[in-house]
């Protein structure tokens, strides 16, 4: 900053001059540079500087590189100050562009400066620069008039004072300090006020008595000089006319009147009432009030003085912003001859009122803003001003609430609108903001500025389909290129980011590419079948369609289409090859004449490649020619040709039968088979037996060839099912012990303890799977050797611990039996609850007893508690056990036999799960024969399918 001031110093005083003045100016520049800071750049320039005068290296002082001035759109804005200053973008120097008149810009203000806003983009920044305009002595003093006429009676006393209107200088400071000189004379001296701010005006003081007869008129010259270098002067001619004596001058009661007047008062408002008096009598004592002759026209346009009463009233608009105070000079004149005048001054201070609303200005709007813009991004600059003063001019700005923006104060009444939170164009594409400025007046005034901020879209949304999967039904034999479906995806973005294009996700369908079957229109999403589809070849065509937008980078999503090809009746029934002796669609059969009614002569076999009703075939015997009744008939759905009655000699030896094979499609398609039946005698039948056997063997061989494929298919499906069941059983049986184990295993020993509870040996529980499969398990429970204590009525008798369970749960009992520590077997009324193993069942029957899961058992729990229901009349007494359990839903029972305490454990006593009629030996025998039965059953099934 010191270098800037030095450069300015050299520009103002380029050559050697007064060394003292140069040093004084340099010291002032150093003091001025020391006060600059807080992020603001200040310069100074003398007014009336020539075009191109150097002001400062603004780019360097702001920390900007010269190369980035043009790319960042470096520009300078001066609010209301015109284009006095400009910046050379080549060297970054601020220079004078046009004439600067300080008096025109700031009037008589002590400080005059031009406020510049330096704005650069990418990123948007604003700098505030103040250029102080220094005053030079370019305005001479000016008197209100070039000549002043004074009428002074000769009777005026010595030291009488006669006020004069001083000169004014538009400059400030030393350039406006005026000194006055009066031309030499012997009558008057000049009375100059010590301080210009004093109300006492410049005046002439009478030093020698006037004598009209000696000097009726006096001519004086008053000269005013300012304090500039060089000084400028101005003169006024004083013409003094000496009058005869009216020796008492009217006088005001106050030399100075001070009044406070609110601005915007209505016309006719009284400002003040003046009071003056004259000691003379008659006309010399009558006074008239008026403004002084040197009062400006502006004051006369705003105030009026009544000549009789001396009341000053408002006749114009009083505006504080136009003028903060008025100095009104008034005089009172008597009616003597010559008239005498008295003078006074009325100081009117205008009191500010809150009559100006704030003003908002929006500049450098950076729109639209991208929805992925970072927080703190500057969107626009806002300046606020209020012409009022004090609290009335203090402005507070607010922004529309609940928006992702905020106002940040940058300098005095300058704000930046910045982004506060993230934007989402899909939620809201534009924000209508209102900036409100309130002043501190009472009542407060406000101003608003509307601003619409548009959010620019970025590609942050992928196209989305309404559903993840669509099912389409298409009839087969469609024409090539037919429209089968339309996919549609919506993209929440805008413009090119929302332009969706569709394509197939290519894959192989069998040995052919997917694109050989279907295609999709890239813009409309219409799916077309490129070739006729055949239900017999392809029942389901599943593929994916991809939707991608045109953004960068492109986003996309897929949808699955399942195209089911619906069958049409496009295949006529096809006759299977006939047996030996036939040709084409004809079948030859030999039938003995002695056969009775219902004898099967032969069978017409046909297949249809269609499915459903289109492949459901029916057989119909065409009537013989001539309307003769045929002794044969054909099965409607089997195609078997049989006799309707016993044949006799009247029947023709050769019968020609036409069998019509039709399907049930729309329209119906049919085929015709010819059956040639030859009637032979019994002897002829024997001679042809060998040929018939050969023909039969050929027919059976043909049928066997047809059925082999069917048998293989059935066996393959059955094997797959059995393998799946085996794998499932193996996985279930290999589960952790906590979930139970299914399969063959050793008997688990369960012991009864003295605390009347059941426990498991080896801390396990054994699950017995009762189903159609082979797994079985015998569960045996033995009682440990416990001492028998004395029995009493209060102590229930211990159950006989000699238990043995033989689990053979089949015959519709798809459930499991297992032991749990939490199982409870409830005894009869009044007896205590005993801890017993629980039995699970899938089909409880209330008549046999209530079956309920234990507390805490889930839906899939296999634990159940047996207790006798209300319908069972038998109730066990205290300490007694029920003699049997009936498992609901199955023919199995549980028989319980109690032995005395001292009896031996009989291993033959057991409880059997199974049919009542079966014994243990029969069950063991059946276990060995189950495999053989299944094999025989499978073989019989295969034989039936062949038949």
């Amino acid at each position: 900053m010191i270098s800037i001031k030095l450069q300015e110093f050299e520009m103002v005083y380029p050559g050697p001059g007064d060394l003292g003045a140069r040093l004084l100016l340099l010291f002032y520049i150093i003091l001025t540079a020391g006060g600059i800071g807080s992020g603001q750049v200040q310069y100074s320039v003398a007014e009336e500087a020539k075009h191109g005068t150097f002001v400062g290296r603004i780019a360097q002082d702001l920390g900007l590189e010269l190369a980035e001035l043009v790319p960042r759109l470096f520009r300078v804005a001066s609010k209301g100050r015109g284009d006095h200053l400009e910046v050379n973008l080549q060297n970054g120097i601020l220079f004078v562009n046009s004439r600067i008149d300080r008096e025109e810009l700031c009037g008589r203000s002590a400080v005059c400066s031009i406020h510049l806003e330096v704005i650069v983009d990418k990123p948007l920044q604003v700098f505030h620069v103040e250029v102080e305009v220094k005053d030079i002595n370019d305005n001479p003093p000016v008197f209100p008039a070039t000549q002043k006429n004074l009428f002074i009676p000769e009777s005026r006393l010595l030291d009488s004072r006669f006020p004069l209107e001083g000169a004014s200088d538009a400059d400030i400071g030393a350039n406006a300090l005026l000194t006055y000189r009066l031309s030499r004379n012997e009558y008057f001296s000049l009375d100059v006020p010590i301080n210009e701010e004093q109300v006492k005006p410049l005046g002439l003081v009478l030093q020698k008595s006037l004598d009209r007869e000696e000097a009726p008129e006096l001519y004086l010259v008053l000269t005013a000089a300012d304090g500039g270098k060089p000084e400028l002067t101005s003169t006024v001619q004083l013409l003094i006319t000496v009058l005869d004596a009216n020796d008492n001058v009217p006088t005001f009661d106050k030399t100075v009147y001070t009044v406070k007047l609110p601005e915007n008062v209505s016309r006719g408002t009284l400002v003040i009432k003046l009071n003056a008096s004259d000691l003379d009598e008659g006309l010399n004592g009558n006074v008239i009030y008026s403004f002084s002759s040197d009062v400006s026209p502006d004051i006369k346009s705003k105030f009026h003085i009544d000549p009789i009463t001396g009341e000053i009233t408002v006749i114009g608009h009083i505006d504080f912003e136009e003028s903060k105070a008025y100095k009104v000079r008034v005089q009172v004149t008597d009616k003597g001859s010559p008239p005498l005048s008295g003078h006074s001054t009325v100081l009117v201070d205008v009191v500010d009122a809150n009559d100006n609303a704030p003003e908002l200005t929006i500049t450098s709007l950076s729109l639209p803003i991208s929805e992925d813009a970072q927080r703190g991004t500057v969107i626009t600059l806002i300046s606020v001003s209020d012409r009022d003063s004090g609290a009335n001019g203090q402005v507070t700005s607010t922004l529309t609430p609940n928006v992702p923006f905020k106002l940040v104060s940058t300098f005095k009444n300058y704000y930046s609108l910045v982004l506060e939170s993230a934007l989402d164009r899909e939620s809201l594409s534009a924000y209508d903001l209102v900036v409100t400025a309130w002043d501190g007046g009472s009542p407060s005034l406000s101003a608003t500025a509307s601003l619409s901020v548009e959010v620019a879209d970025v590609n942050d949304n992928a196209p989305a389909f309404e559903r993840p999967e669509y099912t389409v039904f298409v009839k087969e034999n469609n024409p090539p290129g037919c429209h089968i479906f339309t996919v549609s995806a919506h993209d929440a973005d805008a413009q090119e980011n929302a332009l969706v294009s569709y394509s197939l996700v290519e894959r192989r369908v069998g040995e052919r590419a997917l694109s050989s079957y279907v295609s999709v229109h890239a813009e409309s999403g219409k799916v077309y079948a490129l070739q006729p589809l055949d239900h017999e070849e392809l029942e389901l065509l599943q593929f994916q369609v991809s939707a991608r937008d045109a953004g960068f980078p492109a986003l996309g999503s897929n949808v699955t289409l399942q195209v089911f090809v619906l069958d049409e009746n496009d295949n006529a029934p096809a006759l299977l090859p006939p047996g030996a002796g036939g040709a084409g669609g004809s079948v030859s059969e030999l039938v003995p004449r002695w056969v009775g009614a219902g004898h099967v002569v032969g069978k017409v076999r046909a297949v249809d490649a269609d499915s459903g009703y289109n492949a459901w075939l029916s057989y119909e015997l065409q009537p013989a020619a001539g309307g003769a009744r045929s002794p044969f008939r054909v099965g409607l759905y089997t195609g078997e040709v049989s006799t309707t009655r016993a044949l006799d000699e009247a029947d023709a030896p050769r019968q020609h039968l036409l069998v019509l094979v039709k399907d049930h499609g729309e329209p119906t398609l049919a085929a015709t088979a010819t059956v040639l039946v030859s009637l032979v005698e019994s002897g002829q039948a024997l001679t042809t037996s060998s040929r018939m056997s050969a023909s039969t063997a050929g027919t059976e061989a043909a049928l066997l060839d047809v059925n082999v494929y069917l048998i293989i298919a059935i066996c393959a499906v059955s094997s797959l099912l059995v393998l799946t069941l085996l794998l499932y059983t193996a996985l279930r049986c290999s589960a952790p012990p906590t979930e139970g184990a299914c399969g063959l295993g050793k008997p688990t020993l369960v012991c009864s303890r003295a605390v009347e509870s059941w426990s498991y040996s080896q801390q396990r529980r054994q699950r017995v799977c009762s189903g159609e499969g082979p797994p079985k398990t015998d569960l045996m429970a033995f009682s440990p050797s416990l001492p028998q204590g004395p029995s009493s009525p209060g102590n229930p008798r211990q159950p006989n611990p000699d238990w043995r369970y033989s689990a053979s749960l089949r015959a519709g009992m798809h459930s499991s039996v297992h032991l749990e520590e939490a199982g409870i077997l409830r005894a009869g009324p009044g007896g205590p609850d005993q801890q017993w193993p629980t039995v699970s069942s899938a089909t409880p029957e209330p008549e046999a007893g209530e079956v309920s899961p234990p507390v805490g058992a889930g839906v899939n729990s296999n634990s159940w508690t047996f207790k006798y229901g209300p319908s069972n009349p038998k109730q066990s007494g205290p300490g007694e056990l029920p003699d049997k359990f009936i498992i609901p839903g199955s023919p199995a029972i549980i028989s319980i036999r109690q032995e005395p305490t001292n009896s031996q454990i009989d291993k033959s006593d057991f409880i059997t799960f199974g049919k009542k009629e079966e014994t243990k030996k029969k069950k063991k025998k059946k276990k060995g024969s189950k495999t053989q039965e299944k094999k025989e059953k499978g073989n019989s099934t295969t034989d039936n399918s062949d038949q």
Side-chain angles (χ1 to χ4, degrees):
M1 183 56 64
I2 295 176
S3 63
I4 295 173
K5 297 295 182 177
L6 289 175
Q7 291 171 358
E8 295 172 2
F9 173 79
E10 293 173 359
M11 290 297 296
V12 176
Y13 297 97
D18 187 1
L19 180 60
R22 290 170 58 90
L23 293 177
L24 180 62
L25 181 59
L26 178 60
F27 178 75
Y28 170 75
I29 292 173
I30 294 174
L31 291 179
T32 305
I36 298 175
S38 67
Q40 182 178 355
V41 180
Q42 293 183 351
Y43 300 103
S44 63
V45 64
E47 67 172 330
E48 304 295 338
K50 297 181 180 180
H51 174 76
T53 301
F54 173 88
V55 179
R57 300 185 182 275
I58 188 170
Q60 177 181 346
D61 296 335
L62 294 179
L64 301 175
E65 297 295 333
L66 296 179
E68 64 180 0
L69 297 184
V70 175
R72 295 188 62 181
L73 302 180
F74 183 97
R75 54 196 181 276
V76 176
S78 175
K79 181 179 178 182
R81 300 298 188 182
D83 56 345
H84 299 296
L85 301 174
E86 192 59 68
V87 176
N88 189 336
L89 299 181
Q90 302 300 324
N91 52 23
I93 292 178
L94 180 67
F95 62 94
V96 176
N97 186 45
S98 61
R99 175 179 173 269
I100 302 177
D101 188 351
R102 184 188 183 283
E103 290 71 28
E104 179 180 350
L105 290 177
C106 305
R108 295 189 57 82
S109 176
V111 178
C112 181
S113 62
I114 300 175
H115 181 76
L116 302 178
E117 290 179 3
V118 179
I119 304 171
V120 292
D121 294 335
K122 302 176 183 179
L124 179 62
Q125 291 179 292
V126 60
F127 303 92
H128 298 278
V129 179
E130 281 191 2
V131 180
E132 182 181 5
V133 181
K134 296 295 184 179
D135 182 44
I136 65 173
N137 192 23
D138 59 335
N139 291 282
V142 177
F143 286 96
T146 59
Q147 181 176 329
K148 175 73 174 176
N149 295 324
L150 297 177
F151 299 91
I152 302 176
E154 62 179 353
S155 60
R156 294 296 296 267
L157 302 176
L158 296 177
D159 296 328
S160 295
R161 194 174 188 279
F162 306 95
L164 297 176
E165 181 68 14
S168 61
D169 196 324
D171 296 324
I172 63 170
N175 297 328
L177 294 178
L178 301 181
T179 58
Y180 295 91
R181 299 188 299 271
L182 186 64
S183 60
R184 290 181 178 273
N185 67 92
E186 58 182 345
Y187 294 101
F188 294 95
S189 64
L190 187 63
D191 183 14
V192 180
I194 299 175
N195 193 344
E196 185 185 27
E197 297 297 327
Q198 291 181 356
V199 177
K200 183 179 178 181
L202 182 69
L204 293 176
V205 178
L206 184 61
Q207 299 291 331
K208 180 182 178 181
S209 298
L210 298 175
D211 186 0
R212 180 179 175 276
E213 289 71 20
E214 180 181 353
E217 290 182 349
L218 299 174
Y219 292 91
L220 302 179
V221 176
L222 178 63
T223 303
D226 59 21
K229 290 191 179 298
E231 69 175 13
L232 301 178
T233 60
S234 179
T235 60
V236 61
Q237 298 290 330
L238 300 180
L239 177 58
I240 301 174
T241 303
V242 180
L243 303 177
D244 278 338
N246 179 15
D247 42 303
N248 288 296
V249 179
T251 57
F252 289 95
D253 56 357
K254 288 183 179 181
T255 306
V256 177
Y257 296 90
T258 303
V259 180
K260 292 187 178 297
L261 180 66
E263 68 171 329
N264 302 321
V265 295
S266 60
R267 289 176 173 83
T269 301
L270 177 65
V271 178
I272 193 173
K273 183 176 181 181
L274 302 177
N275 184 25
S277 60
D278 194 324
L279 297 178
D280 294 327
E281 293 182 357
L283 292 179
N284 293 331
N286 293 334
V287 294
I288 298 175
Y289 299 93
S290 64
F291 293 121
S292 298
S293 59
D294 54 0
V295 171
S296 66
D298 179 58
I299 293 179
K300 292 182 179 180
S301 65
K302 297 182 181 300
F303 301 98
H304 169 72
I305 186 170
D306 189 286
I308 305 300
T309 62
E311 293 180 349
I312 298 177
T313 56
V314 177
I315 60 173
H317 177 63
I318 306 301
D319 189 359
F320 175 84
E321 288 71 38
E322 180 181 343
S323 179
K324 298 177 176 56
Y326 295 95
K327 184 186 292 185
V328 182
R329 300 187 184 278
V330 294
Q331 69 180 11
V332 58
T333 306
D334 59 21
K335 296 181 179 180
S337 180
L340 300 180
S341 299
H343 300 270
S344 181
T345 302
V346 179
L347 293 180
V348 179
D349 293 330
V350 181
V351 180
D352 182 39
N354 191 24
D355 59 340
N356 290 280
E359 297 178 359
L360 291 167
T361 304
I362 298 176
T363 58
S364 301
L365 193 61
S366 299
L367 292 177
I369 181 172
S370 177
E371 64 175 316
D372 61 349
Q374 299 296 323
R375 296 181 180 180
T377 301
V378 178
I379 300 171
T380 186
L381 302 177
I382 301 174
S383 61
V384 185
S385 61
D386 194 316
R387 296 179 59 196
D388 294 324
S389 62
N392 298 331
Q394 295 178 357
V395 182
T396 302
S397 299
T398 59
L399 185 63
T400 304
N402 302 323
V403 293
F405 306 97
K406 66 179 181 179
L407 288 176
V408 177
S409 178
T410 57
F411 178 77
K412 292 183 180 178
N413 289 333
Y414 290 85
Y415 298 88
S416 295
L417 179 65
V418 299
L419 182 62
E420 184 179 21
S421 59
L423 299 175
D424 185 10
R425 192 207 63 83
E426 288 71 38
S427 300
L428 193 61
S429 61
Y431 293 88
D432 293 328
L433 306 180
V434 177
V435 181
T436 305
W438 301 82
D439 60 22
S442 180
S444 179
L445 299 180
S446 63
T448 59
S450 298
L451 175 65
S452 179
V453 178
E454 296 182 0
V455 182
D457 182 53
V458 296
N459 192 24
D460 56 347
N461 291 278
F465 293 92
E466 293 182 359
R467 295 166 53 187
E469 183 177 339
Y470 293 93
T471 300
V472 183
F473 297 93
V474 180
K475 291 185 178 181
E476 64 173 336
N477 302 321
N478 56 283
C482 73
H483 172 230
I484 61 175
F485 192 69
T486 300
V487 294
S488 177
H490 173 71
D491 196 313
D493 293 323
Q495 297 178 357
E496 66 274 1
N497 295 331
L499 295 178
V500 180
S501 60
Y502 304 91
S503 62
L504 287 176
V505 179
E506 189 61 63
R507 70 177 185 88
R508 304 291 297 180
V509 180
E511 297 181 355
R512 301 171 59 182
L514 174 65
S515 56
S516 63
Y517 287 95
V518 293
S519 68
V520 60
H521 193 274
E523 296 180 359
S524 64
K526 292 184 177 181
V527 181
Y528 299 94
L530 299 180
Q531 63 180 9
L533 300 177
D534 189 357
H535 173 78
E536 290 73 34
E537 176 186 349
L538 185 65
E539 295 185 4
L540 172 62
L541 179 61
Q542 182 171 325
F543 58 92
Q544 286 186 331
V545 175
S546 175
R548 299 184 68 83
D549 56 30
F552 181 81
L555 301 178
S557 61
N558 296 341
V559 68
T560 301
L561 265 68
Q562 289 186 341
V563 179
F564 288 90
V565 182
L566 303 180
D567 182 51
E568 285 192 338
N569 193 24
D570 57 343
N571 292 281
L575 299 174
L576 294 177
S586 62
V587 179
S588 298
E589 301 289 346
L590 297 178
V591 179
R593 284 185 177 273
W594 48 265
V595 298
H599 177 74
V600 177
V601 175
K603 187 174 183 180
V604 177
R605 293 179 174 85
V607 294
D608 196 313
D610 295 323
S611 62
Y613 277 90
N614 297 330
W616 186 18
L617 302 181
S618 62
Y619 301 84
E620 180 182 343
L621 185 63
Q622 296 289 86
R629 183 176 181 84
S630 174
F632 299 96
R633 65 180 178 184
V634 65
L636 180 60
Y637 299 112
T638 62
E640 293 181 348
V641 180
S642 61
T643 58
T644 60
R645 57 179 175 80
L647 302 177
D648 52 24
E649 295 295 334
D651 294 324
R654 293 181 64 84
Q655 299 284 338
H656 187 272
L657 305 179
L658 292 178
V659 178
L660 182 65
V661 184
K662 300 187 298 182
D663 57 24
H664 287 74
E666 289 292 339
T668 302
L669 301 179
T672 302
T674 303
V675 181
L676 300 177
V677 181
S678 299
L679 303 182
V680 297
E681 300 297 334
S682 299
Q684 295 175 349
L686 294 175
T687 60
T688 59
S689 60
S690 60
R691 288 180 295 172
M692 290 293 294
S693 62
S695 174
T696 303
T699 304
E700 291 179 353
L703 292 176
L704 182 60
D705 293 339
V706 174
N707 292 336
V708 162
Y709 299 104
L710 182 61
I711 293 172
I712 292 174
I714 294 175
C715 291
V717 174
S718 301
S719 301
L720 183 61
L721 178 61
V722 170
L723 180 59
T724 303
L725 294 177
L726 290 177
L727 290 175
Y728 177 77
T729 304
L731 292 175
R732 294 288 295 175
C733 292
S734 62
T738 56
E739 298 180 358
C742 195
L744 295 174
K746 295 180 180 181
T748 302
L749 182 62
V750 184
C751 296
S752 174
R753 298 184 295 184
V755 294
E756 301 180 2
S757 63
W758 290 77
S759 64
Y760 297 90
S761 62
Q762 301 176 0
Q763 298 300 320
R764 297 181 58 193
R765 63 180 182 180
Q766 182 71 23
R767 174 174 294 178
V768 181
C769 297
S770 61
E772 297 300 333
K776 303 182 180 68
T777 302
D778 292 335
L779 292 92
M780 303 177 64
F782 298 95
S783 173
S785 298
L786 299 174
Q788 180 69 31
S791 61
S792 63
N795 297 327
R797 184 163 56 91
Q798 296 292 336
N800 182 17
D802 186 8
W803 299 84
R804 182 170 59 201
Y805 294 77
S806 177
S808 177
L809 302 178
R810 299 176 55 132
M813 182 181 176
H814 299 287
S815 60
S816 62
V817 179
H818 62 278
L819 302 177
E820 286 188 353
E821 291 182 4
I824 299 177
L825 175 64
R826 301 188 181 277
D833 292 345
Q834 302 292 334
Q835 303 287 340
W836 292 94
T838 60
V839 182
S840 67
S841 175
T843 56
E845 295 181 1
E847 301 146 11
E850 182 179 351
V851 182
S852 62
V855 177
V859 177
N860 297 324
S861 175
N862 289 325
S863 299
W864 298 82
T865 300
F866 284 88
K867 62 181 178 179
Y868 287 99
S871 61
N872 194 335
K874 181 178 179 180
Q875 302 291 337
S876 300
E880 297 182 358
L881 300 174
D883 57 354
K884 65 174 65 176
F885 293 113
I886 299 176
I887 299 177
S890 72
I893 63 172
I894 301 176
S895 298
I896 302 176
R897 183 177 66 188
Q898 303 187 40
E899 296 294 341
T901 308
N902 56 358
S903 62
Q904 298 291 331
I905 297 175
D906 189 0
K907 301 296 183 178
S908 64
D909 296 334
F910 58 88
I911 300 173
T912 303
F913 289 73
K915 295 185 178 180
K916 300 177 182 179
E917 296 81 3
E918 293 178 347
T919 62
K920 184 175 182 180
K921 294 181 180 180
K922 290 183 181 180
K923 293 180 181 178
K924 291 182 178 179
K925 185 178 180 180
K926 279 193 173 183
K927 290 179 183 178
S929 61
K930 284 180 181 179
T931 307
Q932 184 65 25
E933 290 177 0
K934 289 184 178 180
K935 292 182 179 179
E936 293 176 359
K937 186 176 180 180
N939 295 336
S940 63
T941 304
T942 306
D943 296 339
N944 292 335
S945 64
D946 295 338
Q947 294 176 359

